[in-house]
Amino acid sequence: YCEMFLAPDHSKTTQCSNCSSGPEVCTCSGQYSCSLDNEQLVELIFEVAEETSCAELCFHNSECKYYSWYSDENVALKNACALLRGCSDRSGSETCYSGPSDCAETDILESEYPLCYKTGLTWNGDMSRGVPNISSPYICQEMCKLDEECLSFTWYNSIAVPLQNFCDFYTKEVTEPTTFCSNCVSGPSLCTCSASNYQTCDTRQESLINIFTNVTSEIKCQDMCARNELCAWYTWYAEGGAPLKNTCILLESCENKIECQECYSGPANCENTSLYLTLPAACSNYKELDSFARNVIVPGNMLTGICSGSSKYCCDQTGRAEVSTDWAGEGWYRFVGPAGSKIAESNPLYLKCGTNRGGYMVGGHPTVSDGEVKRTVNFDTSTGAPQYPTNITVLNCKEYFVYYLYDTADCDLAYCGV
């Protein structure tokens, strides 16, 4: 019989007979090796067939704080276990797994976490909400990223007091944490600032530093780049990537771009804005929708003289007398000024936006890393039923959105802004 627990409170253990308990995994290692110099090496043990055995040897050795286990694919140190006092001169390896002696001690784990995480520090402010039973800071950060209000997080581990395996969300904290906390890790909602699809680094034409396989998250790939003094950029291929999967490529530069499937490129440090990816041409080559008439707060069928002498509404169809004053035919557009800052995403919009049937987008706005995405605009009716579904293209330009729009199918339709 097997029982599973979300994130148990280690202070509330109880005895049981003929039973064994343990965590989901016993190691928190990565694919890298540590220096085996005399000051760092405690002992080198051979014929250790599994990483967990090496980790256990380290755990029971009072001098050991880290270990490096070499798999049977390592020619020089096949199935060797190095017990270490520390882990300096770290370098990536496909045949070596290194980790701390205790996955619960945040002081030891500090070097294991990404450089954008801060151990032992939090913010002295009111959190927006807390979530219990969270077993790692990575899960806590992912939940924060998915929460529209969360900007940063603090995670407390399994031996923290009074809350174990607890995740705090903060809505206002984006600066470095300065308040001490024990057994805790803090960070932003997102450590990466990558792009995908339309401008991934062309690894065939850039100065390649190294390639690592079995890298299962982008943040780990970025951290490997940040810890390499030669690395300025990385490209990471996800599980569904093509032509590579779970692969991290470290690069000296990113001048040439390609398109690829489920791959992401970004700088080693998001604070270095000079390294940030160049935005697509559409982000600077667009027309503006700036008429107050297309804002959702403006009623429709009441605008005599705004678009023509007799019509009471405007439309987005080239060549018609009722054409909106800011409409110039098919192309890239940005909503600005009294028109709003982006396209509307909800109805009812019948007899609004200075027209009869207002248009709203479904499918949501993309992130920067999504690149160009396809969305649909529906036009509202008196019954609320959508009409004339129109395919458009949307692009996130960091500070604003641009949309590739087409002439509407009829002349009492217009794209609405908010």
Side-chain angles (χ1 to χ4, degrees), residues 289 294 316 327 329-335 342-345 359-366 371-379 387-396 401-409 414-417:
L289 297 176
R294 70 174 64 252
D316 293 336
W327 182 253
E330 176 185 336
W332 286 102
Y333 285 91
R334 175 186 172 187
F335 286 82
K342 60 183 180 179
I343 197 168
E345 295 182 80
Y360 60 95
M361 183 181 76
V362 293
H365 280 82
E372 294 183 10
V373 299
K374 301 296 183 182
R375 293 292 186 262
T376 300
V377 170
N378 291 325
F379 296 89
Q387 284 188 336
Y388 300 111
T390 303
N391 294 326
I392 68 169
T393 303
V394 189
L395 183 61
N396 187 326
F401 299 95
V402 293
Y403 311 85
Y404 197 93
L405 305 177
Y406 300 87
D407 277 325
T408 54
Y415 299 102
C416 296

Side-chain angles (χ1 to χ4, degrees), residues 39 59 71 136 157 183 210 237 297 355 364 405:
E39 293 184 0
F59 182 80
S71 71
S136 81
N157 71 6
N183 299 301
N210 213 334
Y237 288 84
I297 64 173
T355 191
L405 305 177

Side-chain angles (χ1 to χ4, degrees), residues 65-134:
K65 298 299 182 184
Y66 278 84
Y67 68 87
S68 287
W69 177 75
Y70 299 84
S71 71
D72 55 11
E73 295 179 356
N74 188 289
V75 178
L77 294 169
K78 180 180 179 179
N79 289 337
C81 174
L83 308 186
L84 306 165
R85 297 182 180 89
C87 184
S88 61
D89 298 329
R90 180 184 305 190
S91 60
S93 173
E94 292 188 15
T95 59
C96 179
Y97 297 81
S98 299
S101 60
D102 188 347
C103 292
E105 292 291 341
T106 50
D107 290 341
I108 297 176
L109 281 173
E110 182 170 3
S111 65
E112 300 301 304
Y113 292 134
L115 294 177
C116 62
Y117 285 14
K118 304 297 179 184
T119 59
L121 293 173
T122 186
W123 293 274
N124 186 19
D126 294 333
M127 65 176 184
S128 63
R129 68 186 181 98
V131 183
N133 299 322
I134 304 303

Side-chain angles (χ1 to χ4, degrees), residues 129 139-150 169 189-190:
R129 68 186 181 98
I139 298 174
C140 185
Q141 184 185 41
E142 183 66 21
M143 293 176 65
C144 178
K145 184 180 73 172
L146 296 174
D147 188 296
E148 292 184 356
E149 296 183 351
C150 184
F169 289 176
S189 61
L190 188 64

Side-chain angles (χ1 to χ4, degrees), residues 26-27 48 50-60 64 67 69 81 83 100-102:
C26 293
T27 60
V48 180
E50 296 180 349
E51 182 193 353
T52 52
S53 301
C54 183
E56 185 178 8
L57 289 168
C58 182
F59 182 80
H60 291 293
C64 185
Y67 68 87
W69 177 75
C81 174
L83 308 186
S101 60
D102 188 347

Side-chain angles (χ1 to χ4, degrees), residues 266-318:
N269 186 351
C270 291
E271 295 176 1
N272 191 343
T273 54
S274 64
L275 287 175
Y276 200 82
L277 294 162
T278 347
L279 292 172
C283 288
S284 56
N285 186 20
Y286 55 80
K287 296 168 246 187
E288 293 185 345
L289 297 176
D290 58 3
S291 171
F292 80 93
R294 70 174 64 252
N295 195 295
V296 294
I297 64 173
V298 177
N301 208 23
M302 298 177 61
L303 300 179
T304 303
I306 298 298
C307 294
S308 73
S310 58
S311 176
K312 294 183 178 180
Y313 57 84
C314 302
C315 76
D316 293 336
Q317 193 177 81
T318 308

